[in-house]
């Protein structure tokens, strides 16, 4: 109110209020523009904006996937042609990207892939995850459906295996720092809670039970070994590195952590002796020397810190094609894949440790 009491006012009351209203309107317009433009993204390079926008998150991309995704009468998820599935992908949330990438190849062969997944529950039969049996019950229902579906011949089994034993990567990077490092396996169904070495024993028992359920039904099992965890949100970290003008090829992760964190998982999977089990090793492509790669030609291979992006899953398809489509000679890249995928020797595909 000082201007109105001053002996030398800066203007009339009408002028002061008009100036105030104009200023507020300009601030509102500027704020709206900044909000609508997501922080005036034009000031950043196009690739930086795209990396930070969520474009590489397969979970959002596939909500409107029109290339080869379809649903059954009861809400089942399929990828490929609208025919009975020959291949099933069973796992936790990490199974989705694999299902989509495999589905595109299936589409070329006029086949389909059915996805069986639930977040936070690895395909380990007979075990309890968390404080309830809900995850186990859903897993049992999915395994029963796979067993009963006569057209399904091959089952790809995927999981974030290390989290079942060690919880989140709280000691590796910043993305999961402060989150629980408690194993997601909590015990046997209707049994006491497990701790320490008991969890490791339960993991081995659970994966064997899952494999036996499937192979007893004359299904061939393709077990996917662990995917390296990164510890950082890959697209966002790449965006920051690129925006600083630094070399994104220098953003890699130490392979030593992978082999140390996964040692019990690798031992358990190596111990599977069923002749109907075929192993696929993502580290053959994602680990080069002493480093795990997280991008290829600027395209992130992960959509966060541990889930593969569609490009990441598609990059692993040379490991699967000789197993599931041995006569496939089509080397053209998938629609979401990086065209620089390295050729994989057949001996590596069928390698047994």
């Amino acid at each position: 109110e000082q201007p109105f009491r001053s002996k030398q006012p800066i203007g009339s009351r009408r002028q002061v209020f008009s100036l105030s209203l104009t200023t507020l309107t300009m601030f509102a317009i500027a704020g709206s523009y900044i909000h609508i433009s997501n922080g005036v993204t034009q000031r950043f390079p196009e690739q930086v904006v795209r990396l930070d926008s969520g474009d590489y998150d397969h979970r959002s991309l596939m909500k409107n996937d029109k290339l080869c995704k379809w649903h059954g009468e009861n809400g089942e998820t399929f990828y490929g042609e609208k025919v009975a599935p020959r291949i099933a992908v069973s796992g936790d949330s990490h199974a989705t990207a694999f299902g989509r990438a495999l589905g595109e190849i299936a589409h070329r062969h006029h086949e389909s892939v059915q996805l069986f997944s639930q977040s936070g529950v690895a395909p380990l039969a007979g075990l309890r995850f968390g404080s309830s049996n809900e995850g186990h019950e859903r897993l049992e229902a999915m395994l029963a459906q796979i067993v009963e579906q006569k057209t399904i011949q091959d089952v790809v089994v995927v999981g974030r295996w290390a989290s079942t034993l060690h919880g989140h990567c709280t000691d590796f990077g910043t993305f999961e720092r402060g989150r629980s490092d408690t194993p997601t396996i909590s015990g046997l169904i209707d049994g006491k809670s497990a701790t320490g070495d008991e969890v490791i024993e339960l993991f081995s028992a659970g994966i064997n039970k899952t494999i036996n359920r499937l192979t007893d039904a004359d299904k061939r099992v393709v077990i996917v070994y662990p995917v390296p965890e990164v510890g950082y949100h890959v697209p966002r970290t790449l965006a920051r590195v690129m925006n600083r003008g630094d070399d994104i090829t220098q953003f890699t992760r130490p392979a030593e952590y992978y082999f140390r964190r996964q040692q019990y998982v690798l031992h358990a999977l190596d111990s599977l002796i069923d002749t109907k089990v075929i192993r696929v090793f993502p580290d053959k492509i994602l680990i080069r020397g002493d480093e795990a790669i997280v991008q290829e030609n600027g395209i992130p291979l992960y959509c966060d810190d541990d889930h593969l992006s569609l490009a990441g899953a598609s990059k692993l398809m040379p490991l699967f094609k000789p197993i599931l489509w041995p006569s496939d000679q089509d080397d053209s890249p998938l629609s979401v894949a990086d065209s620089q995928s390295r050729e994989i020797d057949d001996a590596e595909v069928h390698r047994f440790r």
Side-chain angles (χ1 to χ4, degrees):
E1 62 185 47
Q2 288 299 322
F4 305 119
R5 294 183 177 184
S6 174
K7 295 180 179 180
Q8 295 180 341
I10 61 174
S12 68
R13 184 174 300 183
R14 180 187 295 274
Q15 291 174 323
V16 170
F17 280 112
S18 297
L19 178 61
S20 299
L21 180 60
T22 301
T23 302
L24 288 173
T25 301
M26 291 176 63
F27 274 113
I29 293 173
S32 297
Y33 175 73
I34 292 172
H35 174 73
I36 294 172
S37 64
N38 292 315
V40 194
T41 56
Q42 294 89 337
R43 60 198 172 108
F44 299 109
E46 181 180 351
Q47 178 65 353
V48 170
V49 174
R50 188 179 179 197
L51 283 167
D52 196 49
S53 68
D55 279 0
Y56 293 100
D57 188 337
H58 68 266
R59 289 161 294 193
S60 61
L61 279 172
M62 289 190 288
K63 287 180 181 178
N64 300 308
D65 187 357
K66 300 184 184 302
L67 179 63
C68 61
K69 181 179 179 180
W70 54 283
H71 295 285
E73 295 180 355
N74 298 314
E76 307 96 331
T77 298
F78 299 86
Y79 296 101
E81 293 279 354
K82 288 191 175 182
V83 296
R86 178 176 70 85
I87 300 166
V89 178
S90 176
D92 53 18
S93 58
H94 294 72
T96 306
F98 284 92
R100 171 59 175 76
L102 289 167
E104 187 164 344
I105 303 177
H107 191 270
R108 294 175 178 174
H109 293 266
H110 308 290
E111 296 180 330
S112 72
V113 174
Q114 185 169 358
L115 178 66
F116 297 86
S117 69
Q118 59 174 325
S119 180
V121 179
L124 304 171
L127 304 184
R128 185 174 69 250
F129 294 86
S131 59
S132 74
N133 291 339
E134 182 179 353
H136 160 75
E137 292 167 356
R138 291 188 61 191
L139 175 59
E140 287 296 315
M142 289 190 291
L143 289 175
Q145 188 175 350
I146 294 172
V147 167
E148 293 168 5
Q149 176 59 277
K150 302 302 182 184
T151 63
I152 294 177
Q153 301 173 18
D154 297 300
V155 184
V156 178
V157 179
V158 184
R160 188 183 181 185
W161 306 117
S163 66
T164 66
L165 299 176
H166 310 298
H168 293 97
C169 293
T170 58
D171 61 343
F172 190 58
T174 61
F175 190 74
E176 295 186 331
R177 186 176 297 167
R179 300 173 74 174
S180 173
D181 60 358
T182 301
T184 59
I185 295 174
S186 55
L188 286 167
I189 297 301
D190 300 324
K192 68 174 184 177
S193 298
T195 58
D197 291 343
E198 294 175 330
V199 175
I200 297 174
E201 295 174 3
L202 289 179
F203 176 89
S204 183
I207 191 63
N208 272 279
K209 189 170 183 179
T210 296
I211 299 301
N212 291 339
R213 286 275 301 276
L214 297 171
T215 57
D216 287 348
D218 204 28
K219 311 293 184 184
R220 186 174 60 160
V221 175
V222 180
I223 185 84
V224 181
Y225 270 56
V227 169
E229 297 156 309
V230 179
Y232 293 93
H233 191 289
V234 172
R236 293 175 190 167
T237 304
L238 286 173
R240 287 195 293 270
V241 172
M242 187 178 293
N243 192 53
R244 291 198 304 262
D246 294 336
D247 183 3
I248 61 173
T249 64
Q250 299 302 307
F251 176 34
T252 58
R253 304 298 286 144
E256 178 273 335
Y257 182 85
Y258 169 83
F259 292 107
R260 175 161 49 86
R261 178 168 160 89
Q262 305 288 350
Q263 59 179 318
Y264 296 116
V265 173
L266 297 176
H267 175 73
L269 299 183
D270 287 346
S271 300
L272 296 170
I273 59 174
D274 198 302
T275 57
K276 292 181 181 178
V277 174
I278 298 177
R279 293 160 169 82
V280 164
F281 301 94
D283 62 291
K284 280 292 182 181
I285 289 179
L286 298 177
I287 292 182
R288 297 176 180 173
D290 296 331
E291 304 292 336
I293 62 171
V294 301
Q295 61 82 35
E296 192 84 324
N297 297 332
I299 298 176
L301 302 179
Y302 294 78
C303 64
D304 50 28
D305 70 312
D306 59 276
H307 290 84
L308 288 177
S309 63
L310 285 178
S314 298
K315 190 168 181 60
L316 300 183
M317 290 303 103
L319 297 171
F320 291 89
K321 285 173 63 175
I323 300 169
L324 300 174
W325 297 279
S327 63
D328 189 334
Q329 301 298 317
D330 188 348
D331 293 327
S332 59
L334 303 187
S335 62
V336 295
D338 167 44
S339 61
Q340 302 299 317
S341 295
R342 181 170 63 89
E343 288 298 323
I344 304 301
D345 186 84
D346 286 350
E348 290 185 337
V349 175
H350 298 283
R351 176 168 69 95
F352 285 82
R353 299 188 183 189

